[in-house]
């Protein structure tokens, strides 16, 4: 009886440890291109360092011509250094899929500039929380930016969270072609940024110097905010950072001397940097809560559309659109629809260098220590004309346009308050019409009075707390008697007076 004899094995060259590990964790994907990070050695128990395993899985997914789905089962994946989407993966469509932002988390175990550097067109990021603090170490903030992104064309973020970065949650750089990005299904940008407090500063004009603070060593950056005092004019945009000093705009209202308390607010939930081709962003029903500076910063972006969403308890503003005094491409052709603003620090919306923007029926609660309520909470940092008067706001059923301070805006309001005068012929006294109080916001304010019949008497227009045609408001002005004509009053901020004109009927 013959026995099968095992053939002699061919001698192989000796293998080092790296070869053995690479063989153990070779790319494992299903037929539908699913890359499970645990197949590459990730543990996700909140104790192990999963950095190398996650990087291997990313390299495998982005290294295939067709890309695929990078799957993160529920778990806490702690990493000791940043993970990178390789530049050669720009053309690969890879989706990052977690179970949910509550159960699938990526967090740091060591200090680092960013948690993830995202690249790559197409694909999505779903159900993952990118956490800038270490939950196993008292939630200490170890990461400056949870995710830095560039070259992310056609990218969808859905149900993802970016939280506890010491500067930003998600920062989309000006590098590359960042086009057609959509954030939806309750993406969260929360608790990002930090506040530096001190009293050792001297400043006048646009220059502020510090006795002990080195701004550049504390992550102070262009686009952060300097705050001194409270109320209107207490916030300034940081335009330049030097060793021991900063430059701000607009110029300081008052000279700052040592001993005056100040704050520097760093960080946004989501910041889109100005760039040559950063276009068409949709932000739908997302949460921007508790960020130290602003919830959303839109800089030099074309086609930004914000639908719904919650902008709550941000240190300076819910949204800042524009670039401050930086002379660059404006953020234009955008909209903010039915968004909710509550408990923000200075303003609900800051508009600097914004063009072609429509704000439709926002829900505006009064900021904590800055601007007034209502329309006054939508403002600019600059005590000057807005750079563009092409922005319109539909608020409480009325359409408002920006005011050109040097004169009346050429664009008439629609649905303005209307007052009707209709008296019997032969009245013994003039009809008196009381104009509204002087508006506190910086938008066009206009009142129309339709005179159906003045009763044979003139129509007297007065105002309790503002002038009328540059005369004392209590004295007012008289419009002529008549039938079927219109009186128009608009508020002139330069003269602090309601200006009244009238149109007589055709004969």
């Amino acid at each position: 009886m013959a026995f099968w004899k095992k053939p002699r094995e061919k001698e192989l060259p000796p293998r080092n440890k790296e070869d053995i590990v690479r063989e153990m964790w070779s790319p494992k994907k299903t037929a539908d291109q699913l890359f499970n990070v645990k197949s590459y050695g990730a543990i996700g128990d909140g104790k192990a360092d999963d950095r190398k395993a996650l990087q291997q899985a990313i390299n495998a997914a982005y290294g295939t011509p067709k890309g695929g789905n990078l799957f993160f089962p529920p778990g806490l994946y702690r990493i000791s250094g940043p993970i990178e989407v390789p530049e050669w993966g720009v053309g690969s469509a890879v989706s990052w899929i977690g179970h949910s932002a509550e159960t699938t988390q990526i967090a740091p175990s060591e200090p680092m500039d960013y948690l993830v550097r995202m690249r790559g067109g197409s694909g999505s990021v779903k159900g993952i929380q990118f956490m800038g603090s270490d939950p196993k170490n008292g939630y200490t903030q170890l990461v400056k930016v949870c995710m830095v992104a560039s070259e992310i064309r056609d990218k969808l973020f859905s149900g993802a969270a970016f939280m506890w970065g010491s500067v930003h949650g998600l920062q989309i750089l000006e590098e590359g072609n960042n086009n057609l990005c959509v954030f939806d299904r309750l993406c969260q940008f929360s608790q990002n940024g930090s506040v530096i407090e001190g009293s050792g500063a001297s400043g006048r004009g646009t220059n502020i110097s510090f006795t002990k603070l080195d701004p550049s060593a504390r992550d102070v950056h262009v686009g952060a905010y300097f705050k001194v005092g409270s109320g209107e004019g207490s916030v300034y945009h940081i335009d330049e950072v030097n060793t021991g000093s900063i430059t701000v705009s607009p110029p300081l209202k008052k000279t700052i001397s040592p001993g005056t308390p100040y704050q520097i607010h760093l960080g946004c939930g989501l910041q889109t940097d100005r760039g040559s081709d950063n276009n068409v962003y949709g932000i739908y029903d997302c949460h921007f809560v508790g960020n130290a500076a602003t919830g959303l910063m839109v800089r030099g972006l074309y086609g930004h559309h914000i639908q719904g969403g919650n902008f709550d308890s941000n240190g300076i503003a819910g949204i800042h659109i524009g670039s401050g005094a930086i002379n660059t491409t404006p953020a234009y052709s955008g909209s903010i629809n039915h968004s909710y603003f509550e408990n923000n620090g200075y303003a609900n919306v800051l508009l600097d260098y914004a063009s072609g923007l429509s704000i439709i029926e926002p829900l505006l609660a009064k900021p904590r220590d800055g601007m007034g309520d209502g329309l006054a909470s939508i403002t600019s940092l600059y005590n000057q004309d807005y750079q563009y008067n092409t922005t319109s706001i539909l608020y409480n059923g009325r359409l408002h346009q920006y005011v050109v301070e040097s004169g009346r805006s050429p664009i008439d309001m629609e649905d303005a308050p209307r007052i009707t005068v209709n008296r019997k012929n032969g009245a013994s006294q003039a009809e008196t019409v009381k104009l509204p109080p002087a508006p506190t916001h910086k938008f066009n304010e206009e009142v129309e009075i339709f005179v159906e019949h003045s009763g044979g008497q003139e129509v007297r227009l007065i105002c309790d707390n503002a002038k009328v045609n540059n005369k004392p408001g209590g004295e007012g002005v008289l419009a002529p008697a008549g039938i079927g004509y219109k009186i128009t009053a608009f508020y002139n901020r330069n003269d602090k007076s309601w200006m009244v004109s009238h149109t007589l009927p055709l004969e």
Side-chain angles (χ1 to χ4, degrees):
M1 184 175 181
F3 289 90
W4 176 80
K5 185 181 292 185
K6 183 179 179 181
R8 183 177 180 181
E9 293 183 355
K10 182 180 180 181
E11 291 189 12
L12 298 175
R15 296 184 299 166
N16 56 33
K17 183 178 180 181
E18 287 75 13
D19 292 331
I20 296 173
V21 171
R22 188 177 297 110
E23 180 180 299
M24 290 176 61
W25 303 114
S26 59
K28 296 176 176 63
K29 59 181 184 293
T30 62
D32 57 354
Q33 299 290 105
L34 180 68
F35 299 81
N36 189 323
V37 297
K38 289 196 172 182
S39 296
Y40 294 82
I43 306 300
D45 62 354
K47 299 177 181 179
D49 181 2
D50 288 323
R51 180 190 181 189
K52 291 184 178 179
L54 295 185
Q55 189 65 63
Q56 277 194 323
I58 289 168
N59 290 347
Y62 283 89
T64 60
K66 295 181 180 180
N69 294 318
L70 190 63
F71 178 56
F72 295 77
L76 173 59
Y77 301 87
R78 292 175 80 217
I79 59 177
S80 60
I83 52 179
E84 304 267 353
V85 171
E87 291 189 52
W88 41 262
V90 169
S92 300
V94 175
S95 291
W96 296 41
I97 301 174
H99 182 261
S100 74
E102 289 75 28
T103 60
T104 304
Q105 301 168 323
I106 301 176
S109 59
E110 300 290 339
M112 60 191 81
D113 286 340
Y114 52 85
L115 204 63
V116 176
R117 173 64 183 258
M118 176 62 69
R119 301 180 178 91
S122 302
S124 59
V125 178
K126 297 183 178 181
I128 302 174
Q129 180 180 153
F130 300 89
M131 183 186 296
S133 63
D134 184 358
K136 296 295 183 178
N137 188 23
Y139 287 90
T140 303
Q141 287 180 310
L142 298 177
V143 173
K144 295 180 181 179
V145 182
C146 296
M147 179 182 288
V148 173
S150 62
E151 289 283 3
I152 55 169
R153 297 184 299 276
D154 308 322
K155 186 73 71 179
L156 169 66
F157 295 84
S158 182
F162 304 85
M163 305 174 69
W164 300 104
S166 63
V167 181
H168 300 310
L170 170 58
Q171 183 180 21
I172 300 177
L173 303 178
E174 61 183 301
E175 301 172 12
N177 184 349
N178 302 300
N179 265 343
L180 297 172
C181 296
V182 173
F183 302 85
D184 76 349
R185 289 193 60 199
L186 305 180
C187 283
Q188 299 179 55
F189 303 87
S190 301
Q191 309 301 330
N192 297 289
S194 54
V195 179
I196 300 172
E197 298 187 7
S199 58
S202 301
R204 63 185 305 176
T206 60
N207 297 311
I208 300 171
S209 59
F210 304 93
T211 55
K212 296 181 180 180
L213 175 69
D214 181 1
S216 58
R218 293 289 301 275
D219 298 321
V220 178
H221 54 275
V222 173
Y225 303 87
F226 181 85
K227 190 174 191 302
V228 57
S230 62
E232 183 176 0
S234 62
V235 171
Y236 301 87
H237 185 272
I238 297 178
D239 293 338
E240 186 177 339
V241 178
N242 304 298
T243 302
S245 67
I246 58 175
T247 300
V248 300
S249 64
L252 294 168
K253 281 193 167 185
K254 297 180 180 179
T255 300
I256 299 174
S257 56
T260 303
Y262 70 82
Q263 296 177 335
I264 297 176
H265 289 252
L266 309 176
C268 308
L270 169 60
Q271 176 175 316
T272 61
D273 280 346
R274 59 194 182 277
S276 59
D277 205 2
N278 292 348
N279 297 340
V280 192
Y281 280 45
I283 301 172
Y284 307 111
D285 298 320
C286 296
H287 289 286
F288 298 81
V289 180
N291 299 289
T294 60
L296 171 63
M297 166 70 83
V298 177
R299 303 174 66 185
L301 185 65
Y302 172 78
H304 50 283
H305 303 285
I306 303 161
Q307 173 71 49
N310 181 26
F311 298 83
D312 186 357
S313 301
N314 299 289
I316 298 298
I319 301 175
H320 189 174
I321 295 179
S323 303
I326 303 170
N327 185 19
T328 184
T329 305
Y332 61 102
S333 187
S335 63
I336 302 173
N337 297 336
H338 296 86
S339 296
Y340 178 70
F341 299 85
E342 181 180 13
N343 202 38
N344 295 297
Y346 180 73
N348 285 320
V349 182
L350 289 173
L351 299 177
D352 300 309
Y353 218 49
S355 175
L357 174 69
S358 297
I359 302 178
I360 301 174
E361 293 295 1
L363 298 174
L364 303 171
K366 185 176 180 179
R368 293 192 304 271
D369 64 350
M371 305 300 296
D373 56 3
L375 283 181
S377 70
I378 301 176
T379 186
S380 167
L381 292 180
Y382 300 89
N383 187 23
Q384 58 186 26
D385 298 346
Y386 291 97
Q387 285 88 342
Y388 290 89
N389 66 354
T390 57
T391 292
S392 62
I393 300 178
L394 181 64
Y395 180 61
N396 287 343
R398 296 181 56 197
L399 181 66
H400 296 269
Q401 241 94 24
Y402 281 135
V403 168
V404 178
E405 295 292 346
S406 58
R408 185 184 178 194
S409 170
I411 306 174
D412 290 332
M413 291 176 56
E414 297 176 6
D415 299 324
R418 296 182 177 184
I419 300 171
T420 300
V421 174
N422 189 8
R423 309 190 72 191
K424 291 183 179 181
N425 193 25
S428 59
Q429 294 180 346
E431 175 80 356
T432 299
V433 175
K434 183 179 288 187
L435 295 171
T440 58
H441 53 74
K442 296 184 177 180
F443 300 91
N444 196 359
E445 195 68 67
E446 186 176 278
V447 177
E448 291 181 334
I449 300 104
F450 290 86
V451 181
E452 295 182 10
H453 199 302
S454 72
Q457 296 287 339
E458 296 170 316
V459 178
R460 183 167 176 252
L461 290 90
I462 64 173
C463 184
D464 287 342
N465 64 352
K467 296 184 291 184
V468 181
N469 279 7
N470 289 322
K471 296 179 180 180
E475 176 183 328
V477 298
L478 293 173
I483 300 173
Y485 71 96
K486 181 173 72 172
I487 302 171
T488 302
F490 69 92
Y491 189 73
N492 186 309
R493 283 168 178 75
N494 291 335
D495 297 330
K496 297 181 179 179
S497 173
W498 285 98
M499 307 305 294
V500 176
S501 64
H502 60 271
T503 303
L504 292 174
L506 295 175
E507 296 181 359

